[in-house]
Amino acid sequence: MRSGFAAVVGRPNVGKSTLVNRLVGTKVSIVSPRPNTTRHRVRGVVHRPGAQLVLVDTPGIHRPRTALGERLVEAAGSSLDDVDAVVAVVDATAPVGPGDRVVLSRALSPRGVHGAPPAIVVAVNKADRATRAQVLERLAEAAQAVDDLGATASAEYFPISARTGEGVDALLSAVLAALPDGPPYYPEDTFTDTPEALRVAELVREQLLRHAREELPHSIACRVTDWEWPVISCEILVERDSQKGIVIGRGGEVLKAVGTAVRKELPPGAYLELRVKVEKHWQQRPDVLDRLGY
């Protein structure tokens, strides 16, 4: 059979996690309209007859302003090592700019698991929100950027919509064709290897991103501190006292809404205990970043 790994990379908010979830066929990465939602490398496993593809969802590559940002960009870059293919995602609704060129440059530079450059697949995402002319323009811009970077291997280009599934099957076929012969890495019933505690913490953060104000997303972090089934204790970190009140909400309404939404994605009977704690400037503190697993 064919088996191997593919890293999914791109600027923040281009739809990487939505694409990974679409390819896997189930939710393995949290999603939100906020940039830099993905903070951990998440593996999603695609099973097809005679093939197994392990996708590595990565944080958005950006110019970091905090120690957290530096670690996220480093994690995204290291995900490009020792993969068989790289799926570089660009946004069909916006011109291919310097940030996309940085992503493409990094995608073209690593060496694959067999000592050769990995296959490069460029996904022009959000085609459902762009005009045909915009999609064609993005495809041309991406191809020009790859040529300008002096690619030594040819790249393939696909207009897709991760949200609707348009074009995703063709993209998947191209990635599967690039995989070498090999054994399966995971059993057929495994779709991710994300630890359950991390998955719950990320589900909590996903809901907070949906309920929090615009200035809060980057200031929120979550981690499970205790797991004694059916009780799961999750700590929510913010950076200022004023943010704590916003996360809790009037009469606890925000935390209640978050807990209700997360429990719907947990096994029946789970009790989720949410606590909010202020850790000043945690995004700049290596000790806190280590504790959070970044």
Side-chain angles (χ1 to χ4, degrees):
M1 69 180 298
R2 291 180 179 271
S3 64
F5 292 77
V8 182
V9 297
R11 292 184 297 105
N13 213 31
V14 295
K16 299 180 297 298
S17 296
T18 302
L19 176 58
V20 169
N21 289 341
R22 170 69 64 175
L23 289 167
V24 174
T26 190
K27 180 179 177 180
V28 296
S29 289
I30 65 170
V31 295
S32 86
R34 315 284 191 173
N36 284 318
T37 296
T38 300
R39 288 180 177 172
H40 298 273
R41 283 176 291 190
V42 177
R43 287 180 175 177
V45 187
V46 180
H47 302 275
R48 291 294 186 272
Q52 185 181 94
L53 169 64
V54 183
L55 294 166
V56 185
D57 190 13
T58 64
I61 295 176
H62 62 288
R63 182 176 297 172
R65 296 185 175 88
T66 64
L68 170 63
E70 291 174 358
R71 293 197 181 191
L72 297 186
V73 172
E74 181 181 352
S78 63
S79 297
L80 295 169
D81 297 334
D82 298 328
V83 294
D84 302 286
V86 176
V87 180
V89 184
V90 300
D91 188 337
T93 66
V96 172
D100 297 296
R101 292 186 178 89
V102 169
V103 171
L104 292 169
S105 175
R106 295 197 177 195
L108 292 165
S109 62
R111 299 185 65 83
V113 292
H114 305 292
I120 304 297
V121 175
V122 179
V124 177
N125 190 30
K126 304 183 183 180
D128 58 310
R129 301 180 184 177
T131 65
R132 179 176 174 80
Q134 285 178 312
V135 172
L136 292 173
E137 188 174 8
R138 294 300 91 79
L139 289 167
E141 290 173 349
Q144 185 62 57
V146 170
D147 286 344
D148 290 345
L149 290 166
T152 57
S154 61
E156 295 187 74
Y157 303 84
F158 295 88
I160 69 164
S161 169
R163 187 176 68 87
T164 68
E166 175 189 353
V168 171
D169 287 344
L171 180 147
L172 176 59
S173 295
V175 177
L176 292 177
L179 301 182
D181 293 336
Y185 293 94
Y186 294 92
E188 289 187 5
D189 60 350
T190 298
F191 297 98
T192 184
D193 61 1
T194 300
E196 194 66 12
L198 176 57
R199 187 180 80 89
V200 172
E202 287 292 89
L203 290 174
V204 172
R205 189 165 65 87
E206 178 182 42
Q207 291 301 321
L208 286 169
L209 292 177
R210 295 181 179 179
H211 289 85
R213 295 182 185 175
E214 191 70 33
E215 68 271 16
L216 277 179
H218 297 299
S219 300
I220 295 173
C222 304
R223 72 179 183 117
V224 169
T225 56
D226 193 33
W227 189 301
E228 291 291 338
W229 185 259
V231 179
I232 304 171
S233 299
C234 184
E235 181 180 74
I236 301 167
L237 298 187
V238 293
E239 293 189 302
R240 299 193 298 272
D241 291 327
S242 60
Q243 295 172 342
K244 181 176 180 178
I246 295 172
V247 168
I248 294 173
R250 182 177 298 178
E253 61 182 2
V254 172
L255 281 189
K256 182 179 179 180
V258 168
T260 299
V262 172
R263 279 194 297 273
K264 291 179 180 179
E265 300 196 48
L266 300 179
Y271 177 80
L272 187 62
E273 184 179 68
L274 301 177
R275 297 176 180 174
V276 186
K277 179 181 178 181
V278 177
E279 282 276 10
K280 295 186 182 298
H281 310 297
W282 69 261
Q283 294 183 74
Q284 299 285 11
R285 292 171 51 188
D287 60 322
V288 180
L289 297 177
D290 289 342
R291 195 168 78 225
L292 292 169
Y294 295 129

